[in-house]
Amino acid sequence: MSEVREMAEQVFADAWDVEATGLDADLWKTLEQTGLARLTLPEEAGGSGGTFADWVAVATAAGQYAARVPLVETELAAWLLHAAGLEVPTGPLSVAVDEGSDTLHRVPWGRAVGGVVVPAGDRVSLVDPASAQVTEGTNVAEEPRDTLVGARVVAEGTAPSTVAVEFPLRAALGRSLLLAGAARAALAMSVRYATERVQFGRPIAKLQAIQQSLALAGAEVAAAEAASAAAAGEAQRVGFPEAALAVAAAKARCGEAAGEVARISHQVHGAIGFTREHSLRLATTRLWAWRDEDGSESRWNRLVGARAVEAGPGGLWALLTGTP
């Protein structure tokens, strides 16, 4: 296990809390102190200068332990600000989509962050959420997804033209890693429950139907982790937007895995898995929520299909394998 992965898993495991909601300020402080909050941002911009391999370990662990912090959003926001030549502020950040008005919809962690970054073409703006009228909302995992009206712009800059293409890809990659982590957590809980739950004199893990279901869930988790890690590796190797196909395939595959793993996990747990007191909901509600955030399977599968059609019969193998 790499040092980064070991540290990340320890940090997030220590913050695990079944009952709490909202921003975990203590965890965020720890992430800042350990350098995990802005992992891939260059050191000269206030980051840690980490690689995408490091990012795989940290983001996956955050998903696995249901971290109540805007980790992926801050990483994205910091990258956008740096690309536009703007200073990256300390504290948690978020990102929002510019819809051509003074209203920003479903801003992740909008009420809890110190700044929201809004890209629009090659323009990047940093707005102050404290100056906005905030209508609080959540996704199904109870993570803040707020509406901000009239937020004041505090900084603005121009980024390279590639940012408009790269931004959704980076967002999808981060979400894929979170999904892989949450799927891993749901599987681990299901395996543990199946070995502990005794029915008719023996653990339900001894039942063939349960074994087959857990095996299928295990395959889905392995596929999600492999696809997301491969996409991160491709991004490290060739950069964005060249890694678009790998990222699209990863987000689509992780979304598909999310549905299967959540379904199987609740089937194994039975009614107890749906209770608020049970920790399984921390994983499965995130699987359901994150599956549709930063692009659904259909959106990213369309990109994969378009690339395959564009390559044609003669170029499909090279497209899939990355060989000339």
Side-chain angles (χ1 to χ4, degrees):
M1 180 183 295
S2 71
E3 291 183 5
V4 172
R5 178 179 175 183
E6 185 175 6
M7 177 172 62
E9 291 193 354
Q10 185 62 57
V11 166
F12 291 119
D14 287 346
W16 174 266
D17 191 331
V18 177
E19 298 298 330
T21 59
L23 179 71
D24 188 337
D26 290 336
L27 173 57
W28 186 261
K29 182 178 179 180
T30 301
L31 294 176
E32 293 273 16
Q33 292 172 342
T34 56
L36 300 180
R38 293 165 181 78
L39 187 67
T40 63
L41 192 69
E43 293 182 15
E44 63 270 20
S48 299
T51 66
F52 277 106
D54 297 328
W55 183 228
V56 169
V58 175
T60 303
Q64 180 178 358
Y65 292 100
R68 293 180 291 107
V69 290
L71 181 71
V72 167
E73 291 82 3
T74 298
E75 191 80 10
L76 273 171
W79 165 74
L80 284 166
L81 292 171
H82 180 60
L86 299 173
E87 182 179 352
V88 180
T90 59
L93 303 170
S94 189
V95 291
V97 176
D98 185 350
E99 299 180 1
S101 69
D102 68 345
T103 301
L104 302 174
H105 295 282
R106 294 191 63 77
V107 179
W109 302 91
R111 79 196 72 161
V113 299
V116 176
V117 179
V118 185
D122 62 354
R123 299 295 296 172
V124 174
S125 302
L126 174 64
V127 304
D128 177 17
S131 66
Q133 176 185 337
V134 180
T135 301
E136 296 185 356
T138 64
N139 61 14
V140 72
E142 298 183 331
E143 295 180 307
R145 296 294 185 265
D146 302 329
T147 297
L148 308 182
V149 179
R152 179 174 58 88
V153 176
V154 296
E156 199 169 40
T158 303
S161 58
T162 55
V163 161
V165 176
E166 189 171 343
F167 169 66
L169 294 172
R170 283 180 175 262
L173 176 58
R175 197 65 58 186
S176 298
L177 295 169
L178 291 174
L179 280 164
R184 180 196 295 174
L187 174 63
M189 292 179 203
S190 299
V191 171
R192 182 169 60 250
Y193 180 80
T195 59
E196 296 172 350
R197 177 73 168 94
V198 175
Q199 200 169 49
F200 305 116
R202 59 175 179 170
I204 63 172
K206 297 291 186 180
L207 300 175
Q208 185 176 14
I210 297 294
Q211 292 174 354
Q212 290 175 336
S213 293
L214 290 174
L216 175 58
E220 291 294 321
V221 172
E225 291 185 334
S228 56
E234 188 71 357
Q236 183 71 43
R237 186 177 71 85
V238 301
F240 295 100
E242 289 76 12
L245 179 64
V247 172
K251 183 58 169 69
R253 190 63 187 88
C254 287
E256 293 169 4
E260 283 296 291
V261 173
R263 177 183 63 81
I264 292 170
S265 296
H266 280 289
Q267 286 178 338
V268 170
H269 280 80
I272 193 173
F274 285 97
T275 62
R276 182 173 182 78
E277 292 75 17
H278 202 285
S279 57
L280 179 64
R281 69 174 177 83
L282 296 178
T284 56
T285 57
R286 281 166 171 77
L287 290 173
W288 291 323
W290 293 343
R291 179 178 186 174
D292 291 327
E293 294 184 345
D294 297 307
S296 64
E297 295 104 286
S298 60
R299 171 185 171 180
W300 292 111
N301 275 328
R302 283 195 297 271
L303 188 151
V304 174
R307 290 293 181 90
V309 170
E310 181 182 340
L316 183 59
W317 182 249
L319 176 70
L320 295 177
T321 60
T323 57

